[in-house]
């Protein structure tokens, strides 16, 4: 019981402030205090208990300073240096996430061999379209000349060509939809967290992903980062080196 009480007090006041003979009296401005925890949500707290767990933050998370910050902000105090530190902290993780998403997208791109296969399939379709265009023009010429018998035969041949063209189109679409996707199960990259998703997933499975702790953690991080980037993306607050 004594250990539990001591841990609770340390969480509120800080271990350094409750230890006998401490060398440094902490304050809200101390570099040892996590400004991300005070201003918003420290990234290290977002993924606890998941495979994305970042481990414990190397700075102190003290509830008393979070409460002090909120109280002083409510009174009109400004802490741009704290917010900027939070922004820089978030930027590290957001840049890593953006790189992860870019790499994931790259892995899903078609290989040179796959691109050749697609080009060959679409080339046949282009030839068929040109042939149909010429036959259509010839049919118009026959009709204009009043050569109805040849126009009728030409119409039959044109209809047959259009039917073959439709089959060719379906084959090309099948190639484009499936080339390189058998091993990847028609994967796509989640723009929120960089995870691979299957286009074949059910709505329930997709909803489970979108409500997952990792996905929501990155969405929350991105939202906070975007808000701060509007203010600190180009300039530092005055007074910072």
């Amino acid at each position: 019981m004594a250990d539990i009480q001591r841990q609770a007090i340390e969480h509120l006041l800080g271990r350094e402030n409750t230890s006998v003979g401490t060398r440094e009296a902490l304050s809200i401005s101390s570099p040892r205090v996590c400004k991300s925890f005070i201003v918003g949500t420290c990234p290290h707290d977002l993924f606890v208990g998941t495979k994305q767990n970042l481990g414990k933050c190397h700075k102190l998370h003290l509830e008393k300073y979070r409460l002090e910050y909120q109280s002083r902000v409510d009174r009109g105090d400004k802490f741009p240096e704290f917010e900027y530190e939070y922004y820089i902290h978030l930027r590290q993780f957001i840049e890593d996430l953006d790189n992860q998403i870019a790499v994931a997208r790259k892995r899903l791109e078609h290989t040179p061999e796959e691109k050749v296969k697609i080009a060959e399939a679409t080339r046949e379709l282009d030839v068929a379209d040109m042939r149909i265009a010429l036959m259509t023009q010839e049919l118009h010429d026959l009709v204009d000349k009043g050569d109805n018998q040849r126009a009728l035969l030409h119409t039959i041949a044109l209809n047959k060509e259009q039917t073959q063209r439709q089959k060719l189109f379906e084959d090309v679409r099948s190639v484009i939809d499936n080339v390189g996707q058998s091993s990847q199960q028609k994967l796509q990259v989640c723009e929120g967290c960089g995870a691979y998703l299957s286009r074949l997933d059910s709505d329930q499975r997709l909803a489970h992903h979108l409500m997952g702790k990792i996905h929501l953690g990155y969405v929350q991080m991105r939202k906070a980062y975007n808000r701060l980037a509007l203010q600190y993306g180009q300039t530092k607050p005055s007074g910072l080196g």
Side-chain angles (χ1 to χ4, degrees):
M1 179 64 71
D3 289 340
I4 295 177
Q5 291 176 340
R6 175 178 54 79
Q7 292 174 4
I9 293 174
E10 287 177 354
H11 178 69
L12 289 173
L13 302 180
R15 178 174 299 177
E16 287 76 2
N17 283 0
T18 58
S19 300
V20 177
T22 181
R23 296 181 179 180
E24 176 188 356
L26 291 176
S27 70
I28 192 173
S29 300
S30 172
R32 299 177 63 188
V33 174
C34 179
K35 305 306 185 295
S36 298
F37 175 80
I38 291 175
V39 174
T41 303
C42 177
H44 289 264
D45 291 339
L46 288 173
F47 308 110
V48 175
T50 73
K51 63 181 180 180
Q52 201 70 26
N53 192 351
L54 302 174
K56 188 176 181 180
C57 180
H58 68 280
K59 292 190 176 184
L60 298 173
H61 289 192
L62 303 178
E63 189 65 30
K64 70 168 187 175
Y65 292 136
R66 189 208 291 267
L67 295 174
E68 178 184 343
Y69 169 81
Q70 293 173 346
S71 175
R72 292 174 62 177
V73 167
D74 290 342
R75 295 198 303 267
D77 291 348
K78 303 294 184 181
F79 297 88
E81 67 279 11
F82 290 5
E83 294 173 354
Y84 183 73
E85 186 172 330
Y86 182 33
Y87 162 72
I88 294 299
H89 194 192
L90 291 175
R91 187 173 68 181
Q92 299 171 6
F93 292 96
I94 293 299
E95 289 179 348
D96 287 344
L97 175 61
D98 287 342
N99 290 335
Q100 176 184 334
I101 291 175
V103 170
R105 287 177 182 157
K106 191 70 176 178
R107 288 175 178 169
L108 295 184
E109 289 181 357
H110 295 307
T111 65
E113 293 78 12
E114 292 167 346
K115 291 179 179 179
V116 169
K117 189 174 182 179
I118 293 174
E120 290 176 350
T122 55
R123 189 180 303 116
E124 293 181 23
L125 188 61
D126 290 339
V127 171
D129 286 339
M130 291 179 60
R131 190 161 53 242
I132 289 174
L134 291 173
M135 293 179 68
T136 301
Q137 184 59 50
E138 291 175 2
L139 177 60
H140 288 321
D141 293 341
L142 290 173
V143 172
D144 290 342
K145 292 177 182 179
D147 194 342
N148 294 332
Q149 184 174 0
R150 291 183 60 190
L152 178 60
L153 295 175
H154 207 75
T155 299
I156 295 174
L158 178 58
N159 289 338
K160 182 178 179 181
E161 190 70 32
Q162 290 174 332
T163 299
Q164 293 176 342
R165 192 267 181 198
Q166 180 61 31
K167 183 179 182 303
L168 183 59
F169 169 76
E170 293 173 357
D171 292 341
V172 170
R173 184 171 59 183
S174 178
V175 169
I176 295 176
D177 287 345
N178 294 289
V179 68
Q181 294 292 332
S182 57
S183 62
Q184 299 167 350
Q185 298 180 357
K186 297 184 181 296
L187 296 178
Q188 59 185 352
V189 180
C190 176
E191 298 297 328
C193 63
Y196 286 117
L197 300 175
S198 173
R199 296 186 181 95
L200 304 179
D201 281 342
S202 64
D203 291 343
Q204 183 179 1
R205 187 175 180 86
L206 179 60
H208 180 73
H209 169 79
L210 296 177
M211 294 302 296
K213 191 171 183 178
I214 293 177
H215 179 86
L216 291 178
Y218 276 118
V219 169
Q220 179 179 344
M221 189 187 301
R222 175 84 68 178
K223 184 177 181 180
Y225 171 79
N226 289 342
R227 176 178 58 81
L228 293 170
L230 293 175
Q231 188 170 0
Y232 302 114
Q234 301 296 330
T235 60
K236 296 181 180 180
S238 59
L240 293 182

